[in-house]
Amino acid sequence: MDFQPSVAFVDDDDDLRNANRQTLELAGFTVVPFADAMSALRSLTPDFAGIVVTDVRMPNIDGLELFRRLHALDADLPVILITGHGDIDMAVEAIQEGAYDFIAKPYPADRLVQSILRAAEKRRLVMENRQLRLALETSDDNLPLIGQTPVMQNLRKTLRHVANADVDVLIAGETGTGKEVAASLLHEWSRRKQGNFVALNCGALPETVIESELFGHEAGAFTGAQKKRVGRIEHASGGTLFLDEIESMPLSTQVKLLRVLETREITPLGTNEHRPVDLRVVAAAKVDLGSPEQRANFREDLFYRLNVVTISIPPLRERREDIPLLFTHFLHRAAARFKSEPPEMTGALRSRLIELDWPGNVRELSHFAERVALGLDELEGERLSQTTNIINLPEAMEQHEANLIRDALSANHGDVRSTIETLGIPRKTFYDKLQRHGIDRAVYAKQKLGD
């Protein structure tokens, strides 16, 4: 989000107004001069992406009244007052009411420039947060695929174009990028949306189970098969079958899946009956199946059969401009769950979001937003930005230990047994460390209740 600092400079003295305009333009600001308060009020709106500098002593509407009217228009608009010696008490009162700063005459040019720079940074953050909220309000509900970058706009356009083509699709993307969301969109935006969307993670099931899950079985087909079971493929008939981590599918199952894709028929275990199926297969892989090295034991003929259309979802590090928008959504969602107010985006936090590579992508970003909503990572983010605040080794170790405990509590939703197993420490040591670091376990238990 581009932000060009603008300064509305209000002063009825032509010479002073022109002199300050030249000074500020030399400092890199865009200056909008006004000879009186009324003309400024007619021009300035709540979406003015800058700050206001005004003299206090002016006819008709003075600077203090101008500040109050602007404050009523937009309480987050920084207003800097320029005062004579006799106006200082009045300026202090205005500061208490919310004015950003006051500068007493005579003042060096650098004093005004530095105050404007600080105010401009505050205004930039305010305007950026407003733009993020507006972008969320005007976007669709498929937020893991939200983004204003060209690559995400093209991705959504491609998904809509392919959705009704009724061809099998291969989705490529790293862990946590939103492959299942893309698959569900292909289903929801297609003519098959009235049918079932059936998802199966091929890497989560052992070889002895996956064939029964996919193809179904008859009663008595094998030991333990006490009754008939409809497989995922048959259940997805008329709809969409999503096969995640398909690179993990056993070779024997790959052969049978290839036959299903070619004949659109299944033969459940324990029967010779061929049953027609009407389905679309969307497969996802976190490796490049087109590369023989990464494909490993995945059948080449199955890859080509699935590779009618390939859609790639970029990792967060390749669309960093979208990260603040996504984070804001996850932060507001987490705050709603925890029944708390979402903190505003600070400059340090935004820098941290943009600079990190996020190897876990959207999933990792969502978990980080939950910790920030709970107040667990915000201070850490501030510490990372304060490079001049050097701490000694024992203090750093204490902070690291406290953060590890907080992360474990968050991951286990405050459950003591699971947390001490994660940390690998005795129960008594765990409670001693909670007391020493001032960590309230009940906060994390509340997180579980909000799930």
Side-chain angles (χ1 to χ4, degrees):
M1 298 178 184
D2 295 330
F3 182 84
Q4 297 296 331
S6 299
V7 181
F9 197 94
V10 189
D11 197 321
D12 63 321
D13 188 313
D14 294 342
D15 293 336
L16 287 176
R17 186 174 65 253
N18 291 330
N20 279 287
R21 176 181 182 175
Q22 292 177 9
T23 298
L24 296 178
E25 286 178 343
L26 288 173
F29 296 105
T30 299
V31 182
V32 184
F34 296 101
D36 57 75
M38 185 56 68
S39 59
L41 287 170
R42 283 195 295 264
S43 299
L44 298 178
T45 62
D47 58 356
F48 174 60
I51 65 159
V52 177
V53 179
T54 179
D55 191 24
V56 170
R57 295 284 182 177
M58 294 186 297
N60 299 320
I61 300 176
D62 63 19
L64 187 59
E65 178 62 22
L66 173 61
F67 153 68
R68 287 172 176 154
R69 294 193 188 185
L70 290 174
H71 189 70
L73 183 69
D74 181 357
D76 295 318
L77 177 62
V79 177
I80 298 173
L81 302 172
I82 295 179
T83 70
H85 179 72
D87 301 322
I88 290 180
D89 289 342
M90 183 191 306
V92 170
E93 179 183 349
I95 292 291
Q96 294 172 345
E97 294 180 25
Y100 181 79
D101 194 7
F102 74 89
I103 300 175
K105 298 176 183 178
Y107 54 86
D110 186 59
R111 169 72 174 88
L112 176 61
V113 169
Q114 291 303 314
S115 181
I116 291 175
L117 284 172
R118 291 191 298 272
E121 174 61 15
K122 176 183 178 182
R123 187 61 172 171
R124 182 187 69 80
L125 289 172
V126 167
M127 298 304 292
E128 184 171 274
N129 279 310
R130 289 181 182 176
Q131 289 181 48
L132 288 173
R133 287 193 292 269
L134 179 62
L136 288 176
E137 291 170 1
T138 56
S139 67
D140 58 35
D141 293 331
N142 305 297
L143 286 159
L145 293 183
I146 196 173
Q148 299 172 322
T149 51
V151 67
M152 293 306 292
Q153 293 177 10
N154 290 334
L155 174 60
R156 290 192 294 272
K157 182 179 178 180
T158 300
L159 288 172
R160 287 194 177 276
H161 180 71
V162 171
N164 274 324
D166 210 27
V167 295
D168 296 331
V169 178
L170 181 62
I171 301 176
E174 296 178 5
T175 297
T177 50
K179 296 187 289 294
E180 184 167 353
V181 174
S184 65
L185 289 179
L186 285 171
H187 176 73
E188 290 297 324
W189 291 344
S190 75
R191 289 184 291 269
R192 294 180 169 271
K193 64 182 179 180
Q194 301 303 325
N196 295 320
F197 177 78
V198 181
L200 178 70
N201 189 316
C202 301
L205 295 175
E207 186 173 354
T208 55
V209 174
I210 191 169
E211 286 193 16
S212 175
E213 283 290 322
L214 275 173
F215 304 103
H217 61 255
E218 296 295 311
F222 52 84
T223 302
Q226 298 179 356
K227 58 183 180 179
K228 176 181 176 180
R229 175 183 176 84
V230 175
R232 302 290 183 96
I233 295 176
E234 189 173 358
H235 185 53
S237 186
T240 303
L241 175 67
F242 173 58
L243 299 175
D244 197 8
E245 296 188 27
I246 196 168
E247 72 275 8
S248 303
M249 180 177 284
L251 276 171
S252 60
T253 310
Q254 292 180 37
V255 175
K256 295 183 178 181
L257 177 62
L258 178 60
R259 180 167 179 79
V260 170
L261 294 178
E262 290 174 342
T263 65
R264 301 293 159 164
E265 292 180 342
I266 62 163
T267 305
L269 300 177
T271 180
N272 293 322
E273 179 186 354
H274 299 291
R275 299 176 187 170
V277 288
D278 169 26
L279 80 157
R280 170 193 231 175
V281 175
V282 178
K286 59 178 182 287
V287 299
D288 180 9
L289 294 180
S291 166
E293 295 79 14
Q294 294 190 43
R295 187 165 62 234
N297 294 325
F298 194 81
R299 291 180 61 98
E300 186 177 18
D301 51 0
L302 179 56
F303 163 67
Y304 287 120
R305 184 61 187 79
L306 287 170
N307 192 32
V308 179
V309 174
T310 297
I311 294 175
S312 297
I313 302 180
L316 284 183
R317 64 180 177 276
E318 293 181 6
R319 55 181 186 110
R320 295 182 185 273
E321 296 87 346
D322 290 330
I323 294 176
L325 184 62
L326 267 170
F327 174 79
T328 300
H329 160 67
F330 291 130
L331 183 65
H332 281 251
R333 188 177 70 177
R337 284 176 53 209
F338 305 144
K339 296 180 173 57
S340 62
E341 283 295 319
E344 288 290 328
M345 179 87 72
T346 64
L349 181 56
R350 187 183 191 283
S351 297
R352 184 184 184 192
L353 292 172
I354 297 296
E355 291 167 3
L356 294 180
D357 281 339
W358 303 105
N361 292 292
V362 175
R363 187 178 298 122
E364 182 184 1
L365 182 66
S366 174
H367 292 163
F368 175 71
E370 290 183 349
R371 294 197 297 274
V372 172
L374 286 169
L376 305 181
D377 259 290
E378 186 177 21
L379 293 178
E380 181 184 347
E382 295 293 342
R383 283 199 300 273
L384 288 176
S385 71
Q386 295 171 352
T387 55
T388 58
N389 185 19
I390 306 300
I391 59 176
N392 58 40
L393 182 59
E395 290 175 337
M397 294 298 292
E398 285 286 300
Q399 289 181 1
H400 183 60
E401 180 180 77
N403 287 333
L404 288 177
I405 294 172
R406 292 187 179 103
D407 286 345
L409 281 166
S410 180
N412 293 289
H413 304 295
D415 182 75
V416 173
R417 178 178 297 178
S418 301
T419 302
I420 62 177
E421 287 178 358
T422 299
L423 295 170
I425 59 176
R427 182 180 293 265
K428 184 179 184 304
T429 303
F430 171 69
Y431 281 109
D432 289 343
K433 291 182 182 297
L434 288 185
Q435 184 175 7
R436 185 168 81 243
H437 295 301
I439 299 173
D440 183 4
R441 187 187 67 84
V443 172
Y444 304 87
K446 291 178 181 177
Q447 175 182 352
K448 184 177 182 180
L449 292 174
D451 288 344

